[in-house]
Amino acid sequence: NNELLVNSGCLSRLNAQAVLPLIYGPLYKNSSGHWNATVEGLAQNVLKMYMEYDLVLYDKCTASYFREEEEAKRKLEALNDKWASIEQTAMANKAVLAK
């Protein structure tokens, strides 16, 4: 089954340009720290296979993944800052109303 997917199916070299950008993130996450060692090993093997297929595409997907992760982190920090500001304003208003 796996050989069929790799040789002529969705994981084949011919489909790498379309498939790798879609699956890189979940594969990367599962390749380092999945609770199931078999899943972790399989994810590592698939990433290695794609790296051997097309290193340039692999590097583009890696860079894109880390850029997206950084952007998500910045957005979350900005959101947390906004909520902290709202909480401060609410506490200040509560103190003024209590007088």
Side-chain angles (χ1 to χ4, degrees):
N1 248 355
N2 291 339
E3 290 298 317
L4 182 62
L5 288 174
V6 171
N7 293 332
S8 61
C10 62
L11 297 179
S12 73
R13 184 183 309 248
L14 297 172
N15 296 321
Q17 292 282 334
V19 173
L20 186 58
L22 298 174
I23 65 173
Y24 182 86
L27 280 175
Y28 181 81
K29 287 177 184 174
N30 286 329
S31 72
S32 56
H34 194 276
W35 64 270
N36 186 312
T38 302
V39 170
E40 190 172 305
L42 289 171
Q44 290 169 355
N45 290 340
V46 173
L47 284 173
K48 182 180 176 192
M49 178 184 71
Y50 277 114
M51 190 181 340
E52 291 169 355
Y53 281 171
D54 187 346
L55 186 57
V56 173
L57 174 64
Y58 183 87
D59 288 343
K60 285 180 184 177
C61 291
T62 301
S64 175
Y65 171 75
F66 284 109
R67 238 186 345 266
E68 290 171 6
E69 288 292 306
E70 257 322 293
E71 182 62 27
K73 188 176 177 182
R74 277 194 297 276
K75 285 181 179 179
L76 184 59
E77 287 172 357
L79 185 63
N80 287 335
D81 290 345
K82 286 181 183 178
W83 277 112
S85 174
I86 290 169
E87 288 175 355
Q88 282 182 330
T89 303
M91 294 302 282
N93 288 341
K94 183 178 179 182
V96 169
L97 292 175
K99 289 181 179 183

